[in-house]
Amino acid sequence: MPDQDDTTEHYFSADPSVPFERESFTAQLWGSTISFDTGSGVFSRGHLDHATAVLFRELEPPAQGQFLDLGCGYGVIGLALARAVPLANVTGVDVNERALLLANDNARTAGLDSRFVACTPEQVPGNQVFDEIWSNPPIRIGKAALHELLLTWLPRLAPGGRMVMVVGKNLGADSLQRWLGEEGWPTERLASHKGFRVLETRRG
């Protein structure tokens, strides 16, 4: 899960180099309390980042379905979906090995490991599609890499599916919205709060 407010180590690295130290916190997400183990070398250690908090503030949980938490980090969005949507199946993807370890540990702690799994992108079956993709995308990997990431996963949406993401205005949310439209992925702004945009991209 990417940075919208602070960064130290490259949390989008497969194997961060900083020593691994865990730090826990508890968050209220859509009315449920969930505890998270976080750690050094993983985004938003020890707290819920501002951008993801805006996403929860502005959107209600979706209906049942197959969901993808793109850039899942230690699992905040995906586990909130699994907790709030009883019939949901959620896949979290990330390249950071520590993030995947923490996300799966957090799923077990929350009793949600039967409906949430975190894995590398390569471990997602090639024919798997999703009703919705949720993301606080890794803006700081750079525009070209971000565009490639989105164009890789948006085609995995089922017909009529959608992607929702939160992006800082100062990190290019409005230009990203325009670019997605130009690429054939109509995108609208659902909300704007504290410098963040909540965007929805639909598959026709």
Short mmCIF file of all heavy atoms in Angstrom, two decimals, residues 111-154:
data_model
loop_
_atom_site.label_atom_id
_atom_site.label_comp_id
_atom_site.label_asym_id
_atom_site.label_seq_id
_atom_site.Cartn_x
_atom_site.Cartn_y
_atom_site.Cartn_z
N GLY A 111 -9.04 -13.89 11.88
CA GLY A 111 -9.93 -14.99 11.53
C GLY A 111 -10.51 -14.87 10.13
O GLY A 111 -11.59 -15.40 9.85
N LEU A 112 -9.77 -14.22 9.24
CA LEU A 112 -10.26 -13.97 7.88
C LEU A 112 -9.42 -14.67 6.83
O LEU A 112 -9.60 -14.42 5.63
CB LEU A 112 -10.27 -12.46 7.60
CG LEU A 112 -11.21 -11.62 8.48
CD1 LEU A 112 -10.94 -10.12 8.29
CD2 LEU A 112 -12.66 -11.94 8.14
N ASP A 113 -8.54 -15.56 7.25
CA ASP A 113 -7.63 -16.18 6.29
C ASP A 113 -8.31 -17.16 5.35
O ASP A 113 -7.70 -17.57 4.35
CB ASP A 113 -6.46 -16.87 7.01
CG ASP A 113 -6.91 -17.81 8.11
OD1 ASP A 113 -7.78 -17.41 8.91
OD2 ASP A 113 -6.41 -18.94 8.17
N SER A 114 -9.57 -17.51 5.60
CA SER A 114 -10.29 -18.36 4.65
C SER A 114 -10.84 -17.56 3.48
O SER A 114 -11.20 -18.13 2.44
CB SER A 114 -11.45 -19.09 5.35
OG SER A 114 -12.42 -18.17 5.82
N ARG A 115 -10.86 -16.23 3.63
CA ARG A 115 -11.44 -15.39 2.57
C ARG A 115 -10.51 -14.27 2.12
O ARG A 115 -10.87 -13.45 1.29
CB ARG A 115 -12.78 -14.80 3.03
CG ARG A 115 -13.84 -15.85 3.24
CD ARG A 115 -15.21 -15.30 3.48
NE ARG A 115 -15.31 -14.59 4.75
CZ ARG A 115 -15.38 -13.26 4.87
NH1 ARG A 115 -15.33 -12.50 3.80
NH2 ARG A 115 -15.49 -12.70 6.05
N PHE A 116 -9.30 -14.23 2.65
CA PHE A 116 -8.30 -13.26 2.23
C PHE A 116 -6.96 -13.96 2.11
O PHE A 116 -6.54 -14.68 3.02
CB PHE A 116 -8.18 -12.11 3.24
CG PHE A 116 -7.04 -11.16 2.94
CD1 PHE A 116 -7.24 -10.02 2.18
CD2 PHE A 116 -5.75 -11.42 3.41
CE1 PHE A 116 -6.19 -9.15 1.89
CE2 PHE A 116 -4.69 -10.57 3.12
CZ PHE A 116 -4.92 -9.43 2.36
N VAL A 117 -6.29 -13.73 1.00
CA VAL A 117 -4.92 -14.22 0.84
C VAL A 117 -4.11 -13.15 0.13
O VAL A 117 -4.59 -12.49 -0.79
CB VAL A 117 -4.89 -15.55 0.05
CG1 VAL A 117 -5.41 -15.37 -1.37
CG2 VAL A 117 -3.47 -16.13 0.04
N ALA A 118 -2.89 -12.95 0.60
CA ALA A 118 -1.97 -12.00 -0.03
C ALA A 118 -0.87 -12.77 -0.74
O ALA A 118 -0.33 -13.74 -0.20
CB ALA A 118 -1.38 -11.06 1.02
N CYS A 119 -0.53 -12.33 -1.95
CA CYS A 119 0.45 -13.05 -2.74
C CYS A 119 1.14 -12.10 -3.72
O CYS A 119 0.74 -10.92 -3.83
CB CYS A 119 -0.21 -14.20 -3.51
SG CYS A 119 -1.51 -13.67 -4.65
N THR A 120 2.15 -12.58 -4.41
CA THR A 120 2.79 -11.77 -5.44
C THR A 120 1.89 -11.75 -6.68
O THR A 120 1.04 -12.63 -6.86
CB THR A 120 4.15 -12.35 -5.82
OG1 THR A 120 3.96 -13.65 -6.41
CG2 THR A 120 5.06 -12.47 -4.61
N PRO A 121 2.07 -10.77 -7.56
CA PRO A 121 1.26 -10.72 -8.78
C PRO A 121 1.36 -12.00 -9.60
O PRO A 121 0.36 -12.44 -10.19
CB PRO A 121 1.84 -9.52 -9.54
CG PRO A 121 2.38 -8.63 -8.47
CD PRO A 121 2.93 -9.57 -7.43
N GLU A 122 2.53 -12.61 -9.63
CA GLU A 122 2.74 -13.82 -10.43
C GLU A 122 1.94 -15.01 -9.90
O GLU A 122 1.69 -15.97 -10.64
CB GLU A 122 4.23 -14.18 -10.46
CG GLU A 122 5.12 -13.16 -11.16
CD GLU A 122 5.39 -11.92 -10.31
OE1 GLU A 122 5.20 -11.98 -9.07
OE2 GLU A 122 5.82 -10.91 -10.90
N GLN A 123 1.55 -14.95 -8.63
CA GLN A 123 0.82 -16.07 -8.02
C GLN A 123 -0.68 -15.99 -8.24
O GLN A 123 -1.39 -16.94 -7.90
CB GLN A 123 1.13 -16.13 -6.52
CG GLN A 123 2.56 -16.52 -6.22
CD GLN A 123 2.90 -16.38 -4.74
OE1 GLN A 123 2.56 -15.41 -4.09
NE2 GLN A 123 3.59 -17.38 -4.19
N VAL A 124 -1.16 -14.91 -8.82
CA VAL A 124 -2.59 -14.80 -9.11
C VAL A 124 -2.87 -15.57 -10.40
O VAL A 124 -2.22 -15.32 -11.43
CB VAL A 124 -3.01 -13.32 -9.29
CG1 VAL A 124 -4.50 -13.22 -9.61
CG2 VAL A 124 -2.69 -12.52 -8.03
N PRO A 125 -3.82 -16.51 -10.38
CA PRO A 125 -4.12 -17.27 -11.60
C PRO A 125 -4.43 -16.36 -12.78
O PRO A 125 -5.13 -15.35 -12.64
CB PRO A 125 -5.34 -18.11 -11.21
CG PRO A 125 -5.22 -18.25 -9.71
CD PRO A 125 -4.63 -16.96 -9.24
N GLY A 126 -3.89 -16.70 -13.95
CA GLY A 126 -4.03 -15.84 -15.11
C GLY A 126 -5.46 -15.63 -15.57
O GLY A 126 -5.77 -14.63 -16.23
N ASN A 127 -6.36 -16.58 -15.23
CA ASN A 127 -7.75 -16.46 -15.67
C ASN A 127 -8.66 -15.88 -14.60
O ASN A 127 -9.88 -15.81 -14.80
CB ASN A 127 -8.28 -17.82 -16.11
CG ASN A 127 -8.25 -18.86 -14.98
OD1 ASN A 127 -7.69 -18.61 -13.90
ND2 ASN A 127 -8.84 -20.01 -15.22
N GLN A 128 -8.11 -15.46 -13.47
CA GLN A 128 -8.94 -14.93 -12.39
C GLN A 128 -9.36 -13.51 -12.69
O GLN A 128 -8.56 -12.67 -13.08
CB GLN A 128 -8.21 -14.97 -11.05
CG GLN A 128 -9.08 -14.58 -9.86
CD GLN A 128 -8.38 -14.80 -8.53
OE1 GLN A 128 -7.25 -15.28 -8.49
NE2 GLN A 128 -9.06 -14.48 -7.44
N VAL A 129 -10.67 -13.24 -12.53
CA VAL A 129 -11.19 -11.89 -12.72
C VAL A 129 -11.81 -11.42 -11.41
O VAL A 129 -12.10 -12.22 -10.51
CB VAL A 129 -12.23 -11.83 -13.86
CG1 VAL A 129 -11.60 -12.20 -15.18
CG2 VAL A 129 -13.42 -12.74 -13.56
N PHE A 130 -12.03 -10.12 -11.32
CA PHE A 130 -12.50 -9.50 -10.07
C PHE A 130 -13.68 -8.59 -10.34
O PHE A 130 -13.73 -7.89 -11.36
CB PHE A 130 -11.36 -8.70 -9.42
CG PHE A 130 -10.14 -9.53 -9.13
CD1 PHE A 130 -9.09 -9.60 -10.04
CD2 PHE A 130 -10.06 -10.28 -7.96
CE1 PHE A 130 -7.98 -10.37 -9.78
CE2 PHE A 130 -8.95 -11.06 -7.70
CZ PHE A 130 -7.90 -11.11 -8.62
N ASP A 131 -14.61 -8.60 -9.41
CA ASP A 131 -15.76 -7.69 -9.50
C ASP A 131 -15.33 -6.26 -9.21
O ASP A 131 -15.85 -5.32 -9.82
CB ASP A 131 -16.87 -8.13 -8.54
CG ASP A 131 -17.39 -9.52 -8.86
OD1 ASP A 131 -17.92 -9.70 -9.97
OD2 ASP A 131 -17.23 -10.42 -8.02
N GLU A 132 -14.41 -6.11 -8.27
CA GLU A 132 -13.91 -4.78 -7.92
C GLU A 132 -12.43 -4.86 -7.56
O GLU A 132 -11.98 -5.85 -6.99
CB GLU A 132 -14.70 -4.17 -6.75
CG GLU A 132 -16.18 -3.97 -7.05
CD GLU A 132 -16.89 -3.10 -6.03
OE1 GLU A 132 -16.22 -2.60 -5.10
OE2 GLU A 132 -18.11 -2.91 -6.17
N ILE A 133 -11.72 -3.79 -7.89
CA ILE A 133 -10.34 -3.61 -7.46
C ILE A 133 -10.31 -2.38 -6.56
O ILE A 133 -10.84 -1.32 -6.94
CB ILE A 133 -9.39 -3.40 -8.66
CG1 ILE A 133 -9.42 -4.62 -9.58
CG2 ILE A 133 -7.98 -3.11 -8.17
CD1 ILE A 133 -8.66 -4.41 -10.89
N TRP A 134 -9.71 -2.51 -5.40
CA TRP A 134 -9.56 -1.39 -4.46
C TRP A 134 -8.07 -1.12 -4.28
O TRP A 134 -7.28 -2.06 -4.18
CB TRP A 134 -10.20 -1.73 -3.11
CG TRP A 134 -11.71 -1.69 -3.13
CD1 TRP A 134 -12.54 -2.47 -3.90
CD2 TRP A 134 -12.55 -0.84 -2.37
NE1 TRP A 134 -13.85 -2.15 -3.66
CE2 TRP A 134 -13.89 -1.15 -2.73
CE3 TRP A 134 -12.31 0.16 -1.43
CZ2 TRP A 134 -14.98 -0.49 -2.16
CZ3 TRP A 134 -13.39 0.81 -0.86
CH2 TRP A 134 -14.72 0.48 -1.22
N SER A 135 -7.71 0.17 -4.23
CA SER A 135 -6.28 0.45 -4.15
C SER A 135 -5.98 1.85 -3.64
O SER A 135 -6.68 2.81 -3.95
CB SER A 135 -5.65 0.30 -5.55
OG SER A 135 -4.24 0.41 -5.49
N ASN A 136 -4.91 1.92 -2.86
CA ASN A 136 -4.19 3.16 -2.61
C ASN A 136 -2.89 2.96 -3.39
O ASN A 136 -1.92 2.41 -2.88
CB ASN A 136 -3.94 3.31 -1.10
CG ASN A 136 -3.08 4.51 -0.77
OD1 ASN A 136 -2.63 5.24 -1.63
ND2 ASN A 136 -2.84 4.71 0.52
N PRO A 137 -2.87 3.32 -4.67
CA PRO A 137 -1.82 2.84 -5.58
C PRO A 137 -0.45 3.44 -5.30
O PRO A 137 -0.34 4.54 -4.75
CB PRO A 137 -2.35 3.27 -6.96
CG PRO A 137 -3.20 4.47 -6.68
CD PRO A 137 -3.85 4.19 -5.36
N PRO A 138 0.58 2.73 -5.69
CA PRO A 138 1.96 3.17 -5.41
C PRO A 138 2.42 4.27 -6.36
O PRO A 138 3.22 4.04 -7.26
CB PRO A 138 2.77 1.88 -5.59
CG PRO A 138 2.00 1.12 -6.63
CD PRO A 138 0.56 1.41 -6.34
N ILE A 139 1.94 5.46 -6.13
CA ILE A 139 2.23 6.59 -7.00
C ILE A 139 3.73 6.80 -7.17
O ILE A 139 4.22 7.12 -8.26
CB ILE A 139 1.59 7.87 -6.43
CG1 ILE A 139 0.05 7.72 -6.39
CG2 ILE A 139 1.98 9.09 -7.26
CD1 ILE A 139 -0.60 7.56 -7.73
N ARG A 140 4.49 6.59 -6.12
CA ARG A 140 5.91 6.94 -6.15
C ARG A 140 6.78 5.96 -6.93
O ARG A 140 8.00 6.15 -7.00
CB ARG A 140 6.42 7.13 -4.72
CG ARG A 140 5.73 8.28 -4.00
CD ARG A 140 6.29 8.49 -2.60
NE ARG A 140 5.49 9.43 -1.84
CZ ARG A 140 5.63 10.75 -1.88
NH1 ARG A 140 6.51 11.30 -2.69
NH2 ARG A 140 4.86 11.54 -1.13
N ILE A 141 6.20 4.93 -7.51
CA ILE A 141 7.00 4.08 -8.39
C ILE A 141 7.27 4.79 -9.72
O ILE A 141 8.09 4.32 -10.53
CB ILE A 141 6.33 2.72 -8.65
CG1 ILE A 141 4.97 2.86 -9.35
CG2 ILE A 141 6.19 1.95 -7.35
CD1 ILE A 141 4.33 1.53 -9.71
N GLY A 142 6.59 5.92 -9.96
CA GLY A 142 6.78 6.66 -11.20
C GLY A 142 5.62 6.49 -12.15
O GLY A 142 4.92 5.47 -12.12
N LYS A 143 5.41 7.48 -12.99
CA LYS A 143 4.24 7.50 -13.86
C LYS A 143 4.21 6.31 -14.81
O LYS A 143 3.18 5.64 -14.96
CB LYS A 143 4.19 8.81 -14.65
CG LYS A 143 2.97 8.93 -15.55
CD LYS A 143 2.97 10.24 -16.32
CE LYS A 143 2.75 11.43 -15.40
NZ LYS A 143 2.61 12.69 -16.17
N ALA A 144 5.33 6.03 -15.47
CA ALA A 144 5.34 4.94 -16.44
C ALA A 144 5.03 3.60 -15.77
O ALA A 144 4.23 2.80 -16.29
CB ALA A 144 6.69 4.89 -17.14
N ALA A 145 5.66 3.34 -14.62
CA ALA A 145 5.43 2.08 -13.92
C ALA A 145 3.99 2.00 -13.39
O ALA A 145 3.37 0.94 -13.43
CB ALA A 145 6.41 1.93 -12.76
N LEU A 146 3.46 3.13 -12.93
CA LEU A 146 2.08 3.14 -12.44
C LEU A 146 1.11 2.87 -13.58
O LEU A 146 0.17 2.08 -13.43
CB LEU A 146 1.75 4.50 -11.80
CG LEU A 146 0.31 4.66 -11.32
CD1 LEU A 146 0.01 3.72 -10.16
CD2 LEU A 146 0.05 6.11 -10.90
N HIS A 147 1.32 3.50 -14.73
CA HIS A 147 0.46 3.26 -15.87
C HIS A 147 0.50 1.80 -16.29
O HIS A 147 -0.55 1.19 -16.58
CB HIS A 147 0.88 4.16 -17.03
CG HIS A 147 0.55 5.60 -16.83
ND1 HIS A 147 0.87 6.57 -17.75
CD2 HIS A 147 -0.09 6.24 -15.82
CE1 HIS A 147 0.45 7.75 -17.31
NE2 HIS A 147 -0.12 7.57 -16.14
N GLU A 148 1.70 1.21 -16.30
CA GLU A 148 1.81 -0.20 -16.65
C GLU A 148 1.07 -1.08 -15.65
O GLU A 148 0.38 -2.05 -16.02
CB GLU A 148 3.29 -0.60 -16.70
CG GLU A 148 3.51 -2.06 -17.08
CD GLU A 148 4.98 -2.45 -17.08
OE1 GLU A 148 5.83 -1.58 -16.81
OE2 GLU A 148 5.27 -3.63 -17.36
N LEU A 149 1.19 -0.74 -14.37
CA LEU A 149 0.49 -1.50 -13.32
C LEU A 149 -1.01 -1.47 -13.53
O LEU A 149 -1.69 -2.51 -13.49
CB LEU A 149 0.85 -0.91 -11.95
CG LEU A 149 0.17 -1.54 -10.73
CD1 LEU A 149 0.75 -2.91 -10.45
CD2 LEU A 149 0.32 -0.64 -9.50
N LEU A 150 -1.56 -0.28 -13.76
CA LEU A 150 -3.01 -0.15 -13.92
C LEU A 150 -3.50 -0.86 -15.17
O LEU A 150 -4.54 -1.53 -15.16
CB LEU A 150 -3.40 1.33 -13.94
CG LEU A 150 -3.15 2.09 -12.63
CD1 LEU A 150 -3.52 3.55 -12.79
CD2 LEU A 150 -3.92 1.47 -11.47
N LEU A 151 -2.75 -0.74 -16.26
CA LEU A 151 -3.17 -1.39 -17.51
C LEU A 151 -2.99 -2.91 -17.46
O LEU A 151 -3.55 -3.63 -18.28
CB LEU A 151 -2.41 -0.80 -18.70
CG LEU A 151 -2.74 0.66 -19.03
CD1 LEU A 151 -1.93 1.12 -20.23
CD2 LEU A 151 -4.24 0.85 -19.30
N THR A 152 -2.22 -3.39 -16.49
CA THR A 152 -2.09 -4.82 -16.27
C THR A 152 -3.31 -5.38 -15.55
O THR A 152 -3.81 -6.46 -15.90
CB THR A 152 -0.82 -5.14 -15.46
OG1 THR A 152 0.33 -4.77 -16.22
CG2 THR A 152 -0.74 -6.62 -15.10
N TRP A 153 -3.81 -4.64 -14.56
CA TRP A 153 -4.86 -5.17 -13.70
C TRP A 153 -6.27 -4.75 -14.09
O TRP A 153 -7.22 -5.50 -13.84
CB TRP A 153 -4.57 -4.81 -12.24
CG TRP A 153 -3.38 -5.54 -11.72
CD1 TRP A 153 -2.10 -5.07 -11.59
CD2 TRP A 153 -3.33 -6.91 -11.31
NE1 TRP A 153 -1.27 -6.04 -11.11
CE2 TRP A 153 -1.99 -7.19 -10.94
CE3 TRP A 153 -4.28 -7.92 -11.22
CZ2 TRP A 153 -1.59 -8.44 -10.48
CZ3 TRP A 153 -3.88 -9.17 -10.76
CH2 TRP A 153 -2.56 -9.42 -10.39
N LEU A 154 -6.45 -3.59 -14.67
CA LEU A 154 -7.80 -3.18 -15.06
C LEU A 154 -8.47 -4.19 -16.00
O LEU A 154 -9.68 -4.44 -15.85
CB LEU A 154 -7.77 -1.78 -15.70
CG LEU A 154 -7.68 -0.61 -14.71
CD1 LEU A 154 -7.34 0.69 -15.45
CD2 LEU A 154 -8.99 -0.46 -13.93
#
